[in-house]
Amino acid sequence: MSDAIKHECGISIIRLLKPLEYYKEKYGTAFYGVNKMYLMMEKQHNRGQDGAGFASIKLDMNAGERFMSRVRSSAQQPIQDIFAQINERINTSLQENPEYIDDVSLQKKHIPYIGELLLGHVRYGTFGKNSIESVHPFLRQNNWMHRNLIVAGNFNMTNVHELFDNLVQLGQHPKEMADTVTVMEKIGHFLDDEVAKLYKQIKKQGYNKLEASPLIAERLKVHKILRRAAKNFDGGYAMAGLLGHGDAFVLRDPGGIRPAYYYKDDEIVVVASERPAIQTVFNVPFNKVEELDPGHAIIIKKDGNTAIKEILEPKERKACSFERIYFSRGSDKEIYKERKELGKLLFPKILSAIDNDIQNTVFSYIPNTAETSFFGMVIEAQNYLNKKKEEQILSIGSKITSEELHDILKVRPRIEKVAIKDAKLRTFITQDSSRDDLVAHVYDISYGSVQKGDNLVIIDDSIVRGTTLKKSILGILDRLSPKKIIVVSSAPQIRYPDCYGIDMAKLEDFIAFRAALQLHKDNGTMDVVGGIYKKCIAQVNAKDSEIINYVKDFYAPFTAGQISVKIGELLSPKDIRAQVEILYQNIENLHQACPKNLGDWYFTGDYPTAGGNRVVNRAFINFFEGKNQRAY
């Protein structure tokens, strides 16, 4: 993607179902779980490179022995940093205590991070917050083992203020209003409540306090805690938690907005945000990795028993389509196929834009994530040419000469790697003119790949802000002297902010919004914009369930084609010689290509939760009032 858009998080849970000695004997190391977690986090680093965290729990430790460990980092390479810290602790312990090397029980007792239950997390820092305090997992500690709670997630709540007020009404005094802290305290409150109830029941049965502890662990019903805690959650989430005694869970939102997958055999249970990460790290086939159903939680008890429980009634499935277009790993079998289909479905629009002139058109892509869509586009171009060749050959018939046949068959799509993304250039000069010159060189070109007067078709995953296109890509592509540059987005126009975990919070950031705004100015309809603002203001104190997304009215007067034309005008540098045309995917093709992920609120404004409508209206109010702040 030419525009840098950040995704919130990726999660991993690994539960070793056998004693650590088993992994030492079979795989040669008791650090099997730690090694696998490192791989799981690296295979999901696409989901977050600003921070990483790791937590582990050791089962059945004696009082006074450390059973929980956590390490977090916001360093430049956070995954490598935390595992460097872990390895240093492990290696130092083994060097200082050689007797630990072949004794797994001593390793478990004395060396941190070696446990049966492991949680990993990667994140992007959003809205300027990237301190260590913002890095997951979060820890809620207590001297009662069962009341210790470790939480990490890929989520964002739209109603954090409501959840915060709920905690206050329960008598709590949360230290901040961040959704991660609020969610953890909500779960923690009902965990405390359930443990207290169980203790009273067990005490009445004649057990003393020491005897009660293992019975609480056995009888604790995690699904009941989650049902009470998640009752008022409004957002997209895949939320992972570890309890101090060894239970674990991952809860997915009722609309399936955020992804979660799991795999289980007799050695391990693993849950993650990415299916191919599980496949690769544990060498298992596609059909063995299952998707966690929306509104459900996978619950792994201390004894290893694993169950899928419905926590919240599933809603209409609105799994995020942006996961498929860009954020998730393209090595997933289904996602790879879907991205190719997105490219394929764009070809008729492209053919029209080049006036069917394939011979004088070069096809390329913005590196690197648009490459798969590019393959689909090229395959469809080849199919089109094959059909034309077939018609030509059949029309000539048996009288065709070898020269004629050769001339027909030699026509093929002209495929080139035109744009090259350089290593990230450091903008060390602060003056705007100098900064713009540096930004302009983020991309380079393959000289000679395009002939003067050619059409150049270049595909991108999406065009969100368009800043890089205007300041870098279009200008440098123009140096190749094409007649026309056609930039194709495999995603539809992004018109509405996300509020479920992707860093797209302000309307004025979107080039589609700025284009529609300019059309209102051109057409003298700015009174419509003011009217939308008044409607949004009138709903400020309404219940989320009653709020209407009036921002749809902002786009309603214009066709997608009109907005695309205006986007092309806005993104064309002043001194560009080539004609610029911007093409976008349409909603129908998006749904056709990604039939299981119909969450399209970025493009349509159809939010899957009530809180989304409040967020988009607040975003419009912020824009109209000139407030440069997030809407949730």
Side-chain angles (χ1 to χ4, degrees):
M1 187 187 289
S2 54
D3 291 319
I5 298 296
K6 292 184 175 182
H7 192 283
E8 286 279 357
C9 301
I11 57 171
S12 306
I13 277 185
I14 293 175
R15 170 65 157 89
L16 304 179
L17 298 176
K18 304 283 189 182
L20 294 181
E21 287 81 2
Y22 172 90
Y23 304 94
K24 166 75 170 173
E25 182 177 343
K26 183 171 181 179
Y27 299 106
T29 177
F31 312 137
Y32 173 83
V34 175
N35 294 338
K36 290 296 186 184
M37 182 56 77
Y38 169 71
L39 292 172
M40 286 296 298
M41 292 171 68
E42 278 290 2
K43 293 297 179 184
Q44 295 185 107
H45 80 273
N46 54 296
R47 306 186 73 85
Q49 298 171 38
D50 290 339
F54 169 96
S56 67
I57 287 180
K58 303 179 181 187
L59 303 182
D60 302 316
M61 300 298 285
N62 296 319
E65 295 176 345
R66 185 175 180 181
F67 62 93
M68 293 195 305
S69 300
R70 179 184 64 160
V71 58
R72 299 180 295 172
S73 174
S74 56
Q76 191 169 5
Q77 294 183 307
I79 299 173
Q80 290 88 336
D81 183 47
I82 62 173
F83 282 95
Q85 293 180 52
I86 291 170
N87 286 333
E88 185 178 359
R89 288 290 301 274
I90 291 172
N91 291 333
T92 299
S93 295
L94 293 177
Q95 288 170 7
E96 293 177 352
N97 304 277
E99 66 274 18
Y100 295 174
I101 294 174
D102 292 315
D103 193 323
V104 175
S105 62
L106 289 177
Q107 291 176 6
K108 179 178 174 179
K109 183 176 181 179
H110 295 290
I111 302 178
Y113 310 118
I114 303 170
E116 293 88 349
L117 186 55
L118 313 169
L119 172 61
H121 187 270
V122 293
R123 79 181 289 272
Y124 274 122
T126 54
F127 305 101
K129 295 180 180 178
N130 195 32
S131 65
I132 193 69
E133 288 80 13
S134 301
V135 178
H136 303 208
F138 284 75
L139 182 59
R140 189 179 192 264
Q141 290 183 287
N142 193 288
N143 270 348
W144 281 59
M145 182 180 282
H146 321 85
R147 293 184 178 180
N148 285 282
L149 176 63
I150 303 173
V151 171
N154 169 22
F155 67 95
N156 195 75
M157 296 298 171
T158 70
N159 63 335
V160 66
H161 291 274
E162 178 190 347
L163 298 176
F164 182 88
D165 290 341
N166 289 344
L167 288 173
V168 174
Q169 294 301 316
L170 291 169
Q172 291 196 20
H173 190 89
K175 62 181 181 181
E176 58 179 300
M177 203 179 284
D179 54 3
T180 311
V181 173
T182 306
V183 164
M184 180 176 67
E185 292 299 337
K186 194 88 184 289
I187 297 171
H189 169 80
F190 291 109
L191 172 62
D192 289 346
D193 191 52
E194 190 67 18
V195 169
K197 286 178 181 177
L198 283 172
Y199 174 64
K200 286 181 182 178
Q201 294 172 8
I202 291 168
K203 189 177 178 182
K204 284 181 181 179
Q205 294 170 7
Y207 295 98
N208 62 37
K209 293 179 180 179
L210 194 60
E211 294 168 331
S213 188
L215 293 173
I216 291 173
E218 182 184 321
R219 298 181 189 182
L220 195 66
K221 294 195 168 29
V222 177
H223 63 279
K224 286 178 62 178
I225 297 167
L226 294 177
R227 280 174 189 156
R228 296 174 72 190
K231 184 178 179 182
N232 296 321
F233 288 176
D234 187 290
Y237 49 88
M239 198 176 301
L242 312 181
L243 307 186
H245 63 277
D247 287 356
F249 67 86
V250 173
L251 170 64
R252 192 178 185 197
D253 67 85
I257 295 169
R258 298 269 73 90
Y261 298 89
Y262 67 93
Y263 167 76
K264 181 182 184 301
D265 60 24
D266 61 345
E267 291 184 356
I268 54 103
V269 182
V270 57
V271 192
S273 298
E274 299 271 6
R275 175 166 41 201
I278 299 175
Q279 286 185 253
T280 300
V281 173
F282 292 95
N283 191 24
V284 293
F286 174 89
N287 60 0
K288 293 292 184 181
V289 182
E290 299 187 58
E291 184 176 3
L292 183 61
D293 287 333
H296 287 66
I298 179 169
I299 296 168
I300 310 160
K301 289 294 290 177
K302 176 182 178 291
D303 62 8
N305 283 324
T306 303
I308 308 297
K309 297 280 188 179
E310 182 179 303
I311 306 301
L312 297 165
E313 183 179 355
K315 299 178 181 178
E316 182 182 4
R317 182 184 166 92
K318 290 291 184 179
C320 171
S321 56
F322 234 124
E323 292 277 356
R324 320 300 278 188
I325 296 166
Y326 174 67
F327 289 111
S328 293
R329 289 178 73 86
S331 56
D332 183 283
K333 175 183 175 182
E334 289 183 344
I335 292 173
Y336 183 77
K337 179 181 177 183
E338 289 168 11
R339 289 182 183 174
K340 285 179 69 177
E341 187 71 9
L342 286 167
K344 171 187 172 184
L345 292 171
L346 281 164
F347 185 73
K349 274 189 176 184
I350 294 167
L351 195 61
S352 176
I354 61 173
D355 295 324
N356 293 6
D357 186 8
I358 287 186
Q359 285 182 287
N360 295 302
T361 299
V362 172
F363 295 91
S364 193
Y365 61 93
I366 304 292
N368 288 314
T369 52
E371 189 173 4
T372 308
S373 298
F374 170 73
F375 290 152
M377 177 183 70
V378 168
I379 289 169
E380 193 62 13
Q382 291 169 335
N383 291 339
Y384 169 81
L385 283 178
N386 287 341
K387 187 175 180 181
K388 299 293 287 185
K389 292 174 186 179
E390 184 181 311
E391 291 171 356
Q392 287 179 279
I393 293 168
L394 289 175
S395 67
I396 298 172
S398 59
K399 297 178 182 178
I400 193 168
T401 66
S402 60
E403 290 81 6
E404 288 174 322
L405 184 60
H406 176 75
D407 288 342
I408 293 171
L409 294 178
K410 74 177 182 181
V411 178
R412 58 177 57 85
R414 294 169 58 194
I415 302 164
E416 303 286 353
K417 187 170 183 179
V418 174
I420 304 163
K421 190 168 186 179
D422 281 335
K424 197 171 186 180
L425 296 175
R426 294 189 179 277
T427 313
F428 56 88
I429 300 173
T430 57
Q431 286 83 1
D432 286 345
S433 59
S434 299
R435 287 176 71 91
D436 285 351
D437 184 56
L438 287 171
V439 170
H441 291 86
V442 168
Y443 284 86
D444 205 344
I445 46 172
S446 298
Y447 291 97
S449 58
V450 176
Q451 302 303 312
K452 187 174 182 178
D454 281 339
N455 298 310
L456 174 56
V457 173
I458 193 152
I459 191 167
D460 199 355
D461 292 294
S462 65
I463 304 166
V464 186
R465 294 184 286 262
T467 308
T468 309
L469 271 178
K470 182 168 186 174
K471 291 190 174 183
S472 177
I473 295 172
L474 287 172
I476 205 158
L477 292 178
D478 194 49
R479 297 182 185 185
L480 297 170
S481 300
K483 175 179 67 176
K484 187 176 186 181
I485 301 172
I486 301 153
V487 184
V488 187
S489 169
S490 67
Q493 293 169 3
I494 294 171
R495 301 179 171 191
Y496 303 91
D498 183 61
C499 51
Y500 305 117
I502 293 173
D503 184 16
M504 297 191 296
K506 292 182 287 187
L507 283 167
E508 57 269 34
D509 282 350
F510 305 142
I511 187 60
F513 183 85
R514 299 201 301 274
L517 181 64
Q518 189 60 50
L519 286 169
H520 278 295
K521 292 176 180 177
D522 294 346
N523 295 350
T525 54
M526 285 300 288
D527 58 319
V528 173
V529 180
I532 295 168
Y533 169 71
K534 290 176 182 177
K535 289 179 182 178
C536 293
I537 286 289
Q539 295 187 111
V540 165
N541 296 317
K543 294 179 181 178
D544 285 358
S545 59
E546 298 171 353
I547 292 178
I548 297 168
N549 178 2
Y550 284 117
V551 183
K552 288 185 177 183
D553 296 347
F554 179 79
Y555 297 100
F558 315 115
T559 66
Q562 288 174 309
I563 293 173
S564 291
V565 169
K566 183 57 68 174
I567 289 171
E569 293 175 11
L570 294 178
L571 294 185
S572 296
K574 289 181 181 179
D575 56 351
I576 197 166
R577 295 165 297 167
Q579 179 188 349
V580 174
E581 185 171 352
I582 308 290
L583 299 179
Y584 282 91
Q585 189 74 262
N586 62 42
I587 302 297
E588 294 73 24
N589 284 349
L590 173 67
H591 290 173
Q592 181 180 333
C594 308
K596 295 181 182 178
N597 283 52
L598 301 178
D600 59 10
W601 57 92
Y602 318 92
F603 319 115
T604 64
D606 296 331
Y607 286 88
T609 75
N613 290 331
R614 175 172 46 78
V615 167
V616 69
N617 283 352
R618 169 50 64 183
F620 194 88
I621 291 169
N622 289 345
F623 146 73
F624 198 87
E625 295 179 351
K627 295 178 179 176
N628 184 24
Q629 61 190 47
R630 63 189 292 184
Y632 54 89

